Amino acid sequence: MPAVPRQATSAVRTAPVSPGRTAFAEGVDRLRTAATTEPGRLRVIGAVLALVVVAFGAVTAWQTTDRANAADDVLHSSQPLSAGAADIYRSLADANTTASSGFLSGGQEPAATTARYDKDIRTAAAGLVTAAASTDPGSPAATTIAKLNELLPQYKGLIERARANNRLGFPVGGAYLRAANELMQQEMLPKAQDLYTKENQRLRSDYADATPYPWFAIALGVLILAALGWAQRRHFLRTNRLLNHGLVAGTATAAILLVWLVVGHSVARAGLDSSYAHGVRSLDVLHDARIASLNARGNENLTLVSRGAETKQLPDGTVEDAYDYAFQQDMKTLSAGLARAVSLADDRAGEQPVTAATGNMKVWQQRHKQARTADDDGDYQAALKKIIGSGADQPTGECFDSVDANLTKALGHEESEFRQSASGGRNAMTGLPAGAAVLALLGASGTLLGIGRRLSEYR
């Protein structure tokens, strides 16, 4: 067998293999190569324009949905909960005031007084149930609500002991009433105030989420209009054709969406700002004024119940009845609150009941001085008539009832003002998230069709 030539075996060589390239790198190369031709550039421009239009719609839908939800919470959740917390405080304070009024009536308190006290307790209990259902378990608000639910039966027990001893004519009934008042003033009302403060913080947080302008979406809208304008100018310079129907449609839908976004949110913001300035602020002041009047009435009653058993030493060394001193402080708070409420009222319907309450308060102060003078002179019965007597006695109770009724009327008016403005603000964003999605899809489709029409000219 013949031998294979040496040169033949050494002639077989393997060609060197270039290193493998990633799909991404190859895609970049193809894109770069395509961009050197007009059809390739048009494809890139169309894809970028469509992507930015879709991004504009998506961001608009996202940001307006967040603001619409926050506005809805303001209207249907946080503000009603804030008002509910204020009503819990008011019910507790009114129950305390009514209990002391019933105690002053003697052994058998009037049926109307008992019914009012029972209604206040039921209202407070129902308000706590509602607040608990809308509060996250383990939150500070939930802890406050649980503590109030624990203290409410204790308070009711002290009041029942005070009533029972008062019917029997035992002086210890006054001690039980003062203990109930101390529980209410030092523990229950501060916790109710804390709950009210927390709900107000939640309300302000919802306002803060609902009112800021959606700057990211607005910036994208301006960017896509600029990009579409550039694309149409480029089309005109290269083809000498004034309009590309697809690009014009994309520009129109983007412009409509941008105008809708800016105008809709501006109207919504104006409505929400108005609901806060002319609703929430007035409601806060009126709630505080009403609470001050309730506390003043309760302390006025307890001044006669204690008969000087509770005193307070002032910084100048003088000693005053502790409950009468508290009454004077509450009246100062009430006077300041009414003055503030008048300044915040933006129409006659809101101002009139506050002005009337101010007049009632001044008469109340005059009659209270007469009652204190009679009590200081040792005429307890005359003082008692001035506090809880009938109309002929010109009692302070009539003034208190008038103040409370006028403040209730003012609160109802401001609540209506709030709802009207907040509803208008919330409705201004109705349909905007869905409309943004639809317009973005139409704009992207129009843009792609316009670019596609140009590409067809190269086939």
Side-chain angles (χ1 to χ4, degrees):
M1 181 175 179
V4 179
R6 196 176 185 88
Q7 292 80 358
T9 58
S10 61
V12 180
R13 295 281 187 258
T14 303
V17 179
S18 62
R21 303 191 65 214
T22 64
F24 176 76
E26 292 179 355
V28 170
D29 284 346
R30 284 196 297 270
L31 184 62
R32 186 183 297 113
T33 302
T36 60
T37 65
E38 180 61 12
R41 284 191 287 269
L42 286 173
R43 290 188 181 92
V44 172
I45 292 171
V48 171
L49 289 176
L51 181 63
V52 177
V53 170
V54 171
F56 174 39
V59 172
T60 299
W62 161 52
Q63 291 198 306
T64 54
T65 296
D66 284 348
R67 284 155 178 76
N69 289 339
D72 194 68
D73 287 340
V74 165
L75 182 61
H76 297 118
S77 179
S78 52
Q79 196 284 327
L81 287 172
S82 175
D87 201 42
I88 291 172
Y89 192 113
R90 185 210 62 80
S91 298
L92 292 174
D94 192 62
N96 198 47
T97 298
T98 304
S100 61
S101 297
F103 190 91
L104 289 174
S105 301
Q108 189 64 41
E109 65 182 38
T113 302
T114 303
R116 179 170 176 169
Y117 168 82
D118 290 339
K119 180 182 178 181
D120 285 332
I121 293 297
R122 289 195 302 270
T123 300
L128 289 171
V129 171
T130 301
S134 60
T135 303
D136 295 331
S139 66
T143 303
T144 301
I145 293 168
K147 187 62 178 178
L148 281 170
N149 276 320
E150 178 185 332
L151 292 173
L152 188 58
Q154 297 178 28
Y155 173 80
K156 291 170 60 179
L158 289 171
I159 292 296
E160 291 306 318
R161 290 186 181 92
R163 285 174 169 174
N165 282 280
N166 194 37
R167 293 191 193 101
L168 297 174
F170 295 157
V172 72
Y176 277 117
L177 184 64
R178 291 194 298 274
N181 177 72
E182 184 176 351
L183 178 65
M184 178 65 74
Q185 296 290 343
Q186 296 187 8
E187 294 195 52
M188 297 180 71
L189 290 182
K191 285 181 171 54
Q193 178 66 46
D194 181 59
L195 179 63
Y196 177 52
T197 301
K198 287 183 172 64
E199 294 300 345
N200 267 353
Q201 290 172 348
R202 184 193 301 191
L203 174 60
R204 290 184 177 89
S205 176
D206 286 337
Y207 267 108
D209 291 339
T211 53
Y213 274 103
W215 292 115
F216 189 20
I218 292 173
L220 274 178
V222 173
L223 174 64
I224 189 58
L225 285 179
L228 286 166
W230 170 82
Q232 289 178 85
R233 182 175 182 276
R234 182 181 186 277
H235 171 75
F236 171 72
L237 293 175
R238 289 178 176 271
T239 66
N240 206 29
R241 296 171 187 166
L242 186 61
L243 296 177
N244 177 293
H245 293 160
L247 292 177
V248 169
T251 304
T253 55
I256 291 171
L257 178 54
L258 181 60
V259 171
W260 187 5
L261 171 63
V262 174
V263 174
H265 187 78
S266 296
V267 172
R269 181 188 175 99
L272 290 170
D273 285 345
S274 177
S275 73
Y276 185 84
H278 304 297
V280 173
R281 290 175 62 197
S282 293
L283 287 170
D284 287 345
V285 171
L286 290 168
H287 281 309
D288 291 342
R290 194 179 187 193
I291 287 166
S293 73
L294 288 165
N295 289 338
R297 180 59 177 171
N299 284 315
E300 183 179 51
N301 291 337
L302 287 166
T303 301
L304 293 182
V305 172
S306 67
R307 300 190 182 186
E310 301 287 342
T311 59
K312 178 180 181 62
Q313 185 172 0
L314 301 182
D316 60 3
T318 59
V319 177
E320 289 191 12
D321 183 284
Y323 295 114
D324 190 56
Y325 176 82
F327 168 84
Q328 299 298 339
Q329 301 307 306
D330 291 331
M331 293 302 280
K332 289 179 182 178
T333 303
L334 174 60
S335 178
L338 291 174
R340 178 68 174 152
V342 168
S343 68
L344 289 174
D346 58 344
D347 57 16
R348 179 62 181 166
E351 182 181 348
Q352 190 276 330
V354 181
T355 302
T358 303
N360 301 143
M361 177 197 67
K362 292 177 179 178
V363 177
W364 182 2
Q365 290 174 315
Q366 295 170 0
R367 294 182 182 182
H368 177 80
K369 288 180 180 179
Q370 296 171 2
R372 294 308 309 141
T373 299
D375 192 31
D376 291 340
D377 291 342
D379 193 347
Y380 178 80
Q381 289 302 318
L384 187 62
K385 287 181 179 180
K386 276 293 182 184
I387 301 298
I388 62 168
S390 60
D393 301 313
Q394 294 186 324
T396 60
E398 288 182 352
C399 301
F400 161 72
D401 289 338
S402 296
V403 168
D404 194 65
N406 280 307
L407 287 177
T408 300
K409 183 178 179 181
L411 282 164
H413 174 74
E414 297 301 334
E415 184 76 24
S416 175
E417 290 278 293
F418 162 80
R419 290 196 169 277
Q420 182 177 354
S421 297
S423 296
R426 172 62 185 88
N427 293 339
M429 287 189 280
T430 300
L432 185 50
V438 172
L439 288 173
L441 290 176
L442 290 175
S445 300
T447 299
L448 291 175
L449 287 173
I451 295 298
R453 182 68 178 271
R454 279 284 293 124
L455 284 172
S456 65
E457 298 173 0
Y458 289 90
R459 296 169 187 166

